[in-house]
Amino acid sequence: MSYDIYFLSRRDGQSWDEVLEAMEDAAEHSEPIPARLLEAWERIVPQARFLLGEVDITEYEQESRDLSHSGTGIDLSVFGDEVSITVPYWHAGEDAAVVLGKVFALAAIVEKETGLTAYDPQTERPLAEVRPQGAIGLMSRTTEDLRSRYGG
């Protein structure tokens, strides 16, 4: 399980539900990464390294790019024209605040470089409208719940 951020393009008048449905439909078809996203990726990676430190980069031909940070579990993926950030529910309290601060900062970089809007499906709103304290509380509660259920 992970806290997810999706990067979406929304037309005027289009609901977030419609955008998410279109994203799910498109996910069924594997397409090469569009040139504009490959160019954005090249600008994002150095900024992500500055923010996170050492990261692992995985590239699969023209179909996917992945940047992962082992210390936090933060993962930035581009698959076709889909862009997302995930972070596992490993973090609670102050640790969650630090990690989600990095997620929000990385999301701002991705938004700036791609022109897409960061959307938080946990709260069902754009990330810019999400209160950091609310996200931190959600991550902390979910992490503690998972720990109590499965140990750890």
Side-chain angles (χ1 to χ4, degrees):
M1 290 184 67
S2 61
Y3 197 103
D4 305 324
I5 305 296
Y6 303 141
F7 294 87
L8 306 170
S9 179
R10 181 174 155 207
R11 296 184 308 276
D12 287 341
Q14 190 178 29
S15 74
W16 286 110
D17 285 340
E18 291 170 329
V19 174
L20 290 168
E21 190 175 306
M23 182 188 86
E24 289 172 11
D25 291 343
E28 296 174 11
H29 311 293
S30 179
E31 297 286 329
I33 300 172
R36 66 179 171 72
L37 287 181
L38 287 173
E39 292 165 5
W41 177 262
E42 295 304 319
R43 296 186 303 270
I44 291 166
V45 169
Q47 295 175 72
R49 283 188 167 123
F50 183 78
L51 174 67
L52 299 171
E54 186 176 330
V55 294
D56 294 318
I57 305 289
T58 306
E59 298 181 355
Y60 181 72
E61 298 177 3
Q62 297 296 314
E63 294 176 20
S64 69
R65 300 288 184 272
D66 190 76
L67 178 148
S68 59
H69 182 252
S70 62
T72 59
I74 294 171
D75 188 81
L76 168 64
S77 297
V78 180
F79 182 76
D81 65 352
E82 292 181 36
V83 182
S84 65
I85 295 174
T86 61
V87 62
Y89 286 111
W90 296 346
H91 313 282
E94 184 59 33
D95 188 34
V98 170
V99 170
L100 284 175
K102 291 177 189 258
V103 167
F104 278 51
L106 182 58
I109 292 166
V110 174
E111 279 187 316
K112 178 183 68 135
E113 297 298 347
T114 64
L116 299 170
T117 301
Y119 180 81
D120 181 341
Q122 290 77 209
T123 61
E124 300 181 339
R125 60 180 43 126
L127 193 60
E129 297 176 10
V130 175
R131 288 184 24 251
Q133 289 301 62
I136 293 163
L138 177 61
M139 174 165 274
S140 295
R141 286 188 304 276
T142 304
T143 298
E144 294 299 337
D145 182 49
L146 291 170
R147 286 179 182 164
S148 68
R149 281 191 205 179
Y150 303 108

